[in-house]
Amino acid sequence: MTQSTASPFYLDCDTGIDDALALAYLLASPRAELVGIGTVSGNIGAAGGARNTLDLLHLAGQPDIPVAVGAHDPQVGTFHGGAPHVHGVNGIGEVELPTSDRETVAESAAELLVRLARQFPGELRVVAIGPLTNIAEALRLEPELPRLVADVTIMGGAALVPGNMTPVAEANIVNDPEAAAEVFAADWNVTLVPLDVTMTNVLEESHRQELLSAGHAVPQALGEMLGYYFGFYVSQFGRECSAMHDPLAAAIAVGGVELAVAPVVHVEVDTTHGPGRGQTVCDLRGIYQGYPAVEGARCRVVLSLAEEFAPHMLEVLASRWPAVRPEGAAA
Ligand code: BDR
Ligand code: CA
């Protein structure tokens, strides 16, 4: 059962280096109890993402959390094969984890989400950090889903900044724009964590070294994966560091970081087949008036934080995997 201070969370992911960090964050946070995980194709195929997830849960000593394989293909077209140049061929920076002997559950990710939403009516909180195919499928399976789920936090989109897959589109959204359009059109409270805030909150080499020196298998593996991720981000930032897309979404979902600018506005997704495909069209025209309330709007778009994210993330991870100091060393 859920601890008194922790909410039940369902995580939908494409594990993925930053997905692995988000998973570790949710496992470590006292505010979250992960009750199920679904995977979707994105950084890697849905089945490969599930294998990574099972192995990470095994490493973290929490193998009992159910993992369901979700959609392999988006609603339109077929899976493009992943992002090995960003996340490695195995999705986790070519780091080899001990293999879990657990298997994925028989139900699909969408079925798992619907079952958990019925089990925790009004309580279940959804964090989606991959393409939104499973979430859209769950909406079709259970039209009452928006009333059963407490809220949905999505890493994706680009509100006022360029995309990372096209000039205007971010990976999670452009990998299945039709699904994303359905999810944003549903009648539920969504928090969108777009590139605007994930590209401006980075993890530096000094942070990675903290993970590597903690003396525990999970932070060690995350630090090693980040070595690969940093390699990709040199082309973006000109130095060894990385964006913190998915763990930031996890932290915002649990209320772990204070937000600075996060207006609640209308968001639509471009599903045309022109240059705008996959763009998250956020109505931010209230910018000049301090974003007055918008009638009927349900999507909180996080544009900036009131605090630095990396130290917070390291603190939460260290609360679960505290640094082991050599005997006799000063604290
Ligand atoms: C998003 O796409 C994936 O590559 C990452 O895991 C993240 O969820 C960033 O655009
Ligand atoms: Ca992801």
Side-chain angles (χ1 to χ4, degrees):
M1 273 316 293
T2 54
Q3 303 154 27
S4 54
T5 53
S7 306
F9 276 80
Y10 165 85
L11 177 68
D12 203 272
C13 51
D14 55 337
T15 323
I17 296 171
D18 58 329
D19 301 77
L21 280 158
L23 172 59
Y25 181 96
L26 289 174
L27 291 175
S29 172
R31 300 173 187 225
E33 184 188 2
L34 258 181
V35 292
I37 302 173
T39 64
V40 61
S41 296
N43 298 321
I44 182 173
R51 174 42 55 199
N52 290 342
T53 306
L54 287 169
D55 293 348
L56 283 160
L57 290 174
H58 170 70
L59 199 67
Q62 287 189 248
D64 294 334
I65 297 172
V67 178
V69 181
H72 180 72
D73 292 318
Q75 290 187 12
V76 174
T78 52
F79 174 49
H80 54 55
H85 59 298
V86 187
H87 295 268
V89 173
N90 73 352
I92 48 173
E94 314 310 4
V95 172
E96 294 293 337
L97 299 177
T99 306
S100 167
D101 60 6
R102 299 297 169 108
E103 295 298 332
T104 52
V105 294
E107 60 202 330
S108 71
E111 287 166 345
L112 174 64
L113 168 53
V114 167
R115 180 168 65 74
L116 292 171
R118 290 173 182 154
Q119 189 180 334
F120 299 98
E123 266 190 88
L124 187 72
R125 311 190 61 194
V126 174
V127 180
I129 54 177
L132 295 168
T133 322
N134 296 333
I135 313 297
E137 191 183 327
L139 278 168
R140 272 175 268 123
L141 277 179
E142 173 51 280
E144 286 300 307
L145 196 66
R147 271 160 293 290
L148 291 170
V149 156
D151 55 25
V152 182
T153 301
I154 296 168
M155 188 282 130
L160 295 170
V161 300
N164 60 2
M165 289 285 276
T166 78
V168 296
E170 179 277 338
N172 287 342
I173 304 299
V174 80
N175 280 335
D176 195 339
E178 283 73 17
E182 277 181 59
V183 171
F184 285 104
D187 190 17
W188 52 10
N189 291 328
V190 170
T191 293
L192 182 64
V193 183
L195 295 177
D196 305 61
V197 68
T198 66
M199 289 294 282
T200 48
N201 285 279
V202 300
L203 200 80
E204 302 286 351
E205 178 59 18
S206 58
H207 301 127
R208 191 175 85 86
Q209 289 303 326
E210 271 189 54
L211 292 170
L212 289 172
S213 62
H216 294 277
V218 172
Q220 172 78 30
L222 295 173
E224 288 171 13
M225 291 175 205
L226 281 165
Y228 193 99
Y229 208 42
F230 278 23
F232 166 73
Y233 275 104
V234 169
S235 67
Q236 311 284 303
F237 294 115
R239 68 179 193 282
E240 300 266 338
C241 66
S242 75
M244 287 284 86
H245 309 293
D246 293 347
L248 180 54
I252 288 172
V254 305
V257 278
E258 204 186 322
L259 310 183
V261 182
V264 178
V265 298
H266 292 289
V267 175
E268 283 185 82
V269 177
D270 189 327
T271 55
T272 63
H273 289 266
R277 182 166 173 77
Q279 181 173 15
T280 40
V281 181
C282 305
D283 189 350
L284 296 172
R285 287 175 290 179
I287 188 170
Y288 305 112
Q289 302 166 56
Y291 294 114
V294 178
E295 208 186 323
R298 299 289 295 265
C299 185
R300 179 172 64 149
V301 179
V302 182
L303 296 173
S304 62
L305 302 183
E307 61 179 301
E308 260 190 85
F309 176 57
H312 166 78
M313 187 185 80
L314 291 174
E315 194 183 311
V316 171
L317 295 181
S319 70
R320 169 71 192 270
W321 297 285
V324 177
R325 296 187 190 284
E327 248 172 69

